[in-house]
Amino acid sequence: MIKIFFSLPNQYPSAGLFSRWHLLLLSVTVIFIAVGLCFSRHMTAAAVRRTVRVLTLCLWGLELAKILFVLLVTGSRNPNEFIPLYYCSLILYAGLLSSFAKGLFRHVGDTFIAMGGIVGGAVFLLMPTTSLPQYPAFHFISWHSFLLHGAMVYVGLLLLVRGVYRPRLRDVRYVAALTGTVCILAWLFNTVYNRVSGDPVANLMFISRDFAGTPISILYRLCGRFFTPVMCLGQAFLPFFATYGGILLVRKAREHLGKTAKSSERCMVKNRGK
């Protein structure tokens, strides 16, 4: 079993997307998120901060273990496989800001975790394109990917549910600034690496070339030479607005249910009076 858990990519039959193994990992992750939120429903703000800090440090430990696995076990030197400069990697940096920074920088971290991380984590859980197509379900990389992205969803919901972060539309600038900065760094690295190496393989943040077998391919064909700016803008703004829209829908639903409950209560009181 240990041999399979740390096996090379494609050495054993992969779990595959939308397979029973994918459904199993997804179901287990969702259950853990739900149980975690249930046990966290009475957490104080200080306890939430401690939870974010512990999870951030654990995720950094997992990320370092992944880097060592890629470099020492697989022997790959493809920068896409071990440099943590992707949208979902931002939870590592945002988690540090939220856990250890103060003032504006802490707010930037909180904003990304709550308003960007939930969508990023959920999308990957539904389409784990960088793990299950190459590895079995019982593999370190598969488990790493579901733990990382499940934690993204959990801590984002935790900040919102416990009111540690309160959504504001103007906070989109903070998510855009953090994401945009990483996009610039990734684009510079991709450009320099691809020119120096002569092999256009570097594609950090998925902004420099196609990523076959994913929805990115559709966008790549549609956008042509505008693919890079479209991908950067999409990652900077779409997750925030998707989360904000979802929060508004939940609020509307609660208000509607509250009005319906009050109306039913008034009707019951009137009927008793008759």
Side-chain angles (χ1 to χ4, degrees):
M1 295 296 286
I2 297 297
K3 187 177 180 181
I4 297 176
F5 194 71
F6 293 105
S7 61
L8 297 174
N10 300 309
Q11 183 177 356
Y12 293 93
S14 62
L17 298 180
F18 312 118
S19 64
R20 67 180 185 276
W21 294 112
H22 179 190
L23 182 61
L24 176 63
L25 287 173
L26 177 61
S27 300
V28 170
T29 304
V30 170
I31 290 171
F32 271 102
I33 292 171
V35 171
L37 289 173
C38 181
F39 279 102
S40 308
R41 66 187 184 278
H42 299 306
M43 269 190 182
T44 63
V48 170
R49 289 290 175 200
R50 286 195 297 271
T51 300
V52 174
R53 186 179 301 118
V54 169
L55 279 175
T56 297
L57 295 176
C58 289
L59 292 179
W60 268 106
L62 280 172
E63 191 65 26
L64 292 174
K66 175 192 172 183
I67 293 170
L68 290 175
F69 172 81
V70 171
L71 295 177
L72 301 180
V73 178
T74 73
S76 174
R77 294 300 180 265
N78 185 337
N80 299 330
E81 297 182 15
F82 61 85
I83 296 179
L85 278 182
Y86 292 98
Y87 186 84
C88 291
S89 303
L90 293 180
I91 188 65
L92 300 171
Y93 313 111
L96 292 177
L97 292 175
S98 178
S99 301
F100 301 105
K102 300 291 183 182
L104 177 61
F105 290 105
R106 168 176 280 187
H107 188 68
V108 171
D110 290 348
T111 303
F112 177 83
I113 292 172
M115 304 302 289
I118 295 174
V119 171
V123 168
F124 183 91
L125 292 175
L126 294 173
M127 291 195 65
T129 52
T130 58
S131 59
L132 295 192
Q134 294 178 290
Y135 296 98
F138 183 74
H139 193 280
F140 168 68
I141 296 296
S142 299
W143 285 28
H144 167 275
S145 64
F146 275 82
L147 285 169
L148 173 72
H149 296 88
M152 288 179 70
V153 176
Y154 167 70
V155 293
L157 291 173
L158 180 63
L159 290 183
L160 290 172
V161 170
R162 295 307 305 142
V164 174
Y165 172 80
R166 299 186 182 278
R168 300 179 302 181
L169 189 57
R170 64 178 180 270
D171 283 350
V172 66
R173 57 186 169 172
Y174 299 128
V175 174
L178 180 60
T179 308
T181 299
V182 173
C183 279
I184 292 171
L185 293 174
W187 178 79
L188 289 172
F189 179 90
N190 294 341
T191 302
V192 173
Y193 182 91
N194 291 338
R195 286 181 180 174
V196 171
S197 67
D199 183 11
V201 65
N203 193 28
L204 300 177
M205 288 295 285
F206 302 117
I207 60 175
S208 294
R209 63 186 180 90
D210 191 12
F211 185 24
T214 72
I216 293 175
S217 288
I218 300 173
L219 189 65
Y220 186 80
R221 291 194 295 270
L222 289 174
C223 296
R225 60 178 180 172
F226 298 107
F227 171 75
T228 295
V230 169
M231 274 294 291
C232 291
L233 290 172
Q235 293 182 85
F237 291 99
L238 288 181
F240 180 95
F241 287 121
T243 306
Y244 194 80
I247 292 170
L248 291 181
L249 288 175
V250 170
R251 287 177 179 172
K252 292 284 186 183
R254 284 181 175 176
E255 290 174 3
H256 178 72
L257 290 174
K259 290 178 181 178
T260 302
K262 289 181 181 179
S263 177
S264 299
E265 187 177 346
R266 284 195 295 267
C267 289
M268 291 176 64
V269 170
K270 288 180 180 179
N271 290 334
R272 285 176 190 158
K274 293 180 181 178

